[in-house]
Amino acid sequence: MATEHPAERRAPRRHPLQVAIGALGDLLFTLGVLLALLVVHSLWWTNLTADRHADLSAARLRQSWSAPAPAAPPTDAAPPPFGPGDAVGFLHAPALGAGYQVLIKVGTDGETLADGVAGAYTAPYHSAMPWEASGNFALAAHRDGHGARFHDLDRLRPGDPLVVETRDHWYVYHVDATLPETAKDDIGVIAPVPVGSPYDGPGRYITLTTCTPVYTSLYRMAVWGSLVREEPTDPDRTPPAELR
């Protein structure tokens, strides 16, 4: 009697349900890998590229500040108008870490904020610049990815200083209130007199906004502050006491 060679033995036939489960498992594994790659891109890679762009822009701005001004304006003259994408200065928040610094540009569109900066709102309310007599200097930045400049915004508390640095002045604000969560379309939080803030009339305010909770864009949070003083910069750019 001939003996069947092992190689000629047929593999047991798999049940269709087993085949379906195996295919589903392969699909879920593939989707998991793709999702992990997407997370890596959205967080790590966008942070890396945003940091590079922000560092280059910050270096260019500081270099332009070190160049002599073309003409000496009156001491009470406001800086020239800033257009979309223009760099205004820097935001410092010592409560968020020693050396914390964020470049500020005009605009909150995706392209501007993707460069790892804080953007000054131009709509639905146009942010008042710090040197203006009254208004709200309202800023937005990403909480996760694209530099995540406002990742720890929830750590700010009333009394914490916020300092805006421009070419000619330091503007020192103190945090007055925070709004942990509100709707994404709550435009009142960036109004000239922010709705829900402790302010009941015109003043010189700053508002910081970002998404919340972390790793989502379900809601918006806000931090409100008011100007307590301004100081002219000196040739050494000696920072105010809050940053020393």
Side-chain angles (χ1 to χ4, degrees):
M1 181 176 180
T3 304
E4 183 182 12
H5 193 277
E8 297 175 351
R9 295 174 186 170
R10 298 179 62 185
R13 187 174 182 180
R14 297 176 66 191
H15 191 279
L17 180 61
Q18 291 178 307
V19 174
I21 293 176
L24 178 61
D26 292 341
L27 177 61
L28 291 177
F29 176 79
T30 302
L31 289 176
V33 171
L34 292 175
L35 181 60
L37 291 175
L38 179 62
V39 170
V40 169
H41 176 269
S42 298
L43 299 179
W44 177 79
W45 180 252
T46 61
N47 283 340
L48 187 67
T49 56
D51 287 345
R52 184 183 303 117
H53 291 157
D55 288 345
L56 290 173
S57 295
R60 283 195 296 266
L61 180 61
R62 291 204 177 277
Q63 185 176 20
S64 72
W65 286 355
S66 64
T75 56
D76 59 348
F82 288 87
D86 287 347
V88 177
F90 298 91
L91 171 69
H92 304 270
L96 300 185
Y100 178 90
Q101 172 184 281
V102 180
L103 179 66
I104 302 170
K105 289 188 174 183
V106 175
T108 56
D109 57 281
E111 184 177 354
T112 299
L113 295 186
D115 283 344
V117 305
Y121 282 91
T122 57
Y125 300 101
H126 201 288
S127 293
M129 290 299 168
W131 49 85
E132 294 185 29
S134 68
N136 185 12
F137 188 43
L139 306 175
H142 284 289
R143 194 163 191 192
D144 301 292
H146 302 288
R149 297 301 185 232
F150 283 177
H151 184 80
D152 295 323
L153 200 64
D154 59 333
R155 289 170 49 190
L156 290 175
R157 298 290 182 268
D160 287 340
L162 300 171
V163 180
V164 174
E165 176 189 3
T166 67
R167 175 171 186 152
D168 301 311
H169 286 82
W170 302 90
Y171 297 90
V172 181
Y173 301 81
H174 281 179
V175 173
D176 295 315
T178 63
L179 181 64
E181 183 178 294
T182 189
K184 290 190 295 183
D185 59 356
D186 182 2
I187 62 174
V189 298
I190 60 169
V193 180
V195 178
S197 72
Y199 316 127
D200 56 9
R204 297 173 72 178
Y205 307 127
I206 188 170
T207 300
L208 311 180
T209 66
T210 195
C211 295
T212 197
V214 292
Y215 307 117
T216 75
S217 57
L218 297 176
Y219 303 100
R220 174 188 290 170
M221 68 172 297
V223 173
W224 294 303
S226 56
L227 187 76
V228 295
R229 74 178 188 281
E230 58 182 279
E231 301 178 5
T233 57
D234 59 30
D236 296 325
R237 302 199 71 83
T238 304
E242 286 79 1
L243 301 183
R244 298 199 299 268

